[in-house]
Amino acid sequence: MTDLHRVPAATIPAAMTLDDARQAMIVRGVRMLLVTDERRAVLGLVTASDLLGEQPVMTAQHRSVAVADLTVADIMTAVGAIEAFALRDVLNAHVGDVVRALRALGRQHALVVEPAEGGAQAQIRGVFSASQIARQLGIPPFVGEVARTFAEIEAAIGA
């Protein structure tokens, strides 16, 4: 887990263009950015898959605008829809538990949250990244795998 108490969070403003967001990922060497408002409150997250996939084109078509006119806010995953693990559960988990959870969710990233003092909204404490886990374990990426043959498609559908 990337502990956000030790490593500054990679954030971008919600009003940033998609091209600028892609560039921010390249410069920072990350594939996910937290999206914040003007007070730096987290609104959601955006991934490289979000930026490079079909979502920008579909959103632009739906709104009858050019993809270049979209902002990160238009395609981000809102904070309420993001998979999150409780820090207390993560502290007792094994790497295999995290890998299984990411696989089951079909996600590259998941947040780790901890309760805030005084009953306030939970605070983001960290981030799990499937690609980082795979890199550190020396294994191939394990989420978002693409079937290459009909047999693999059939196996995936039957699973």
Side-chain angles (χ1 to χ4, degrees):
M1 174 184 94
T2 300
D3 186 344
L4 299 179
H5 281 193
R6 297 179 183 201
V7 177
T11 64
I12 55 172
M16 182 176 274
T17 67
L18 304 186
D19 282 340
D20 287 344
R22 280 190 288 272
Q23 190 59 37
M25 284 184 186
I26 292 167
V27 167
R28 293 181 177 143
V30 297
R31 296 185 49 80
M32 187 224 50
L33 295 164
L34 295 174
V35 180
T36 60
D37 65 14
E38 50 283 336
R39 292 173 293 146
R40 299 204 27 92
V42 176
L43 301 174
L45 65 80
V46 66
T47 67
S49 297
D50 295 334
L51 294 170
L52 300 172
E54 65 184 30
Q55 187 175 2
V57 173
M58 299 295 287
T59 301
Q61 286 177 344
H62 178 71
R63 295 184 182 175
S64 299
V65 300
V67 172
D69 294 333
L70 296 176
T71 66
V72 172
D74 295 321
I75 67 159
M76 72 177 187
T77 302
V79 72
I82 300 170
E83 289 80 11
F85 304 132
L87 179 62
R88 69 180 176 280
D89 296 333
V90 169
L91 293 175
N92 298 312
H94 296 94
V95 174
D97 299 328
V98 175
V99 170
R100 277 188 294 283
L102 288 172
R103 240 188 209 145
L105 294 167
R107 298 289 297 182
Q108 287 285 323
H109 301 91
L111 300 179
V112 177
V113 296
E114 65 182 334
E117 295 177 18
Q121 184 178 4
Q123 300 293 311
I124 299 171
R125 172 61 186 266
V127 179
F128 280 115
S129 164
S131 59
Q132 182 179 2
I133 293 169
R135 219 177 9 260
Q136 289 177 328
L137 293 176
I139 62 174
F142 53 84
V143 177
E145 298 156 345
V146 177
R148 291 177 188 78
T149 68
F150 285 111
E152 289 175 350
I153 293 170
E154 192 173 317
I157 291 171

